[in-house]
Amino acid sequence: MRRPIATIAAWLGGPPAIVLSGLILARAIPLWEGIGWLAGCAAWSVAAGMVLARDLRRFSAALTASSSPAALQLVTPGLTNLAQRIIQTIATERETREAAATNANYSQSLLNRLPDALFQLDGLPGSRRIVWRNPAAVRIYGAEESALLRHPQLRAALAEAELADQPVRTTLSLATPVTRDLDATVIRSGDLGRAAPVYILLTDRTRERELNQMRADFVANASHELRTPLTSLIGFIETLRGPARGDIEAVPRFLAIMAEQAERMQRIIADLLSLSRIEMSEHQPPSEQIDIGPVIRQVASFMDPILAKASTRLTLDIAESLPVVHGDSGQLTQVIGNLVDNAVKYSALKHGGSGGTITVSVHATPDADFPQPGILLEVIDDGPGIAREHLPRLTERFYRADKGRARAVGGTGLGLAIVKHVVMRHRGRLVIDSVEGAGTTCRVWLPAAAPAVPAARRSA
Ligand code: ATP
Ligand code: MG
């Protein structure tokens, strides 16, 4: 502290002291008067140095403190105003910088959480390179980045973006490792022809396109499935009106076929309506508490005539003390019915029209394979099995592993789609395992209903 006071005092008192000494030496003023002036000058310089040094100390403290600059009062004339303005300017600058840093943090975390891939390319037009990518880009396209940039559609969009003021959009398809449809948006950030960054945003549209395709396929399949029996019905009606009119032998035969075709149409429409009802309620899990054992026994008794006709043996293996599940008894009846119906229908084909053994088993699952306690229902048959390549598509509407065989037993390919949607509504799982020539096992896992919380604990 002493040094600033001495320095300021020297700066303030030095020049007048030199002038006074010169005047004394030139005898322009008397010696004692000169010494008096010199002493006064020294005293004034030290006092002014102390005041100025204290003001500077306060100013420096106020710069680092967060107190209001209005509170700063200095003795040196004019310094208070100047110091307050400097502190105000620095505080404003600091706030602006902090706000910019916060905004940059928000932008960064937004880019890090963006589910779509974003790449930043730098360099001159024509030789741009990826210099930054968000975590989604690393996760989704990590290994294939350079192949992606070489994609003709993306290159064309990049070239177009160099000349366009607006973002350029394009669609591209990647073949490996799995087929994917992407929407790409190329955005140039700076002026035309400049080395300002270019951004590529990639959005995966595979699921949407698949859904559109499935919708289109569904309409085509439904129309086709209904048109076949309808064409047959119209054909028979025309025959009965024309060439077979009055043919007493042909009429009952034709009517039997017509009834069969009409029933087929009725079955398809009933299944489609049932599927759409299940889909409409899919977001709302059922709340009824169901004991699955009696439901299985009831389905088995319904199926008795079909089992007897196909000479198929059905074994029930129902564990005791199963947990209850939240379920819709009608829909669960439909699930078990459809699975047993498939087992009977397709097993009979292998066993020459009749025979075969089916097991329906159910047991509780605290297994590690399932996320929570529940029940596992299995429908096991020793039928013809299903070829591996068909397994992932079995639950699609109207999908049949063996079209000819399924049609021969009257299948429309809606049974397993219904099973899948009911299981989804019950927040369960459906797994179909099959070995060609050996048989099929359909597994349905349903979560157990959470044990009711006693009222006292609930209010605690
Ligand atoms: P629907 O059930 O609507 O009358 P479907 O039986 O043909 O007709 P799904 O139950 O959805 O339709 O079954 C789809 C296809 O899966 C069947 O066409 C059949 O090819 C195959 N499949 C299903 N279950 C079995 C099984 N247990 N054994 C062999 N193939 C089966
Ligand atoms: Mg079926």
Side-chain angles (χ1 to χ4, degrees), residues 172-192:
L172 45 126
S173 202
L174 298 181
T176 52
V178 285
T179 314
R180 276 162 301 167
D181 294 312
L182 310 178
D183 273 359
T185 309
V186 183
I187 308 157
R188 187 172 40 73
S189 62
D191 294 335
L192 276 181

Side-chain angles (χ1 to χ4, degrees), residues 267 271 338-339 341-347 381 383-386 394-396 399-403 405-407 410-417 434 440 442:
R267 223 173 28 240
D271 278 354
N338 283 2
L339 294 178
D341 177 60
N342 279 352
V344 179
K345 264 189 330 201
Y346 300 107
S347 297
D381 68 55
I386 306 162
L394 287 180
T395 54
E396 286 176 24
Y399 189 84
R400 280 163 294 203
D402 181 337
K403 278 207 163 60
R405 212 156 61 176
R407 219 184 279 274
T412 52
L414 290 170
L416 288 179
S434 192
T440 303
C442 296

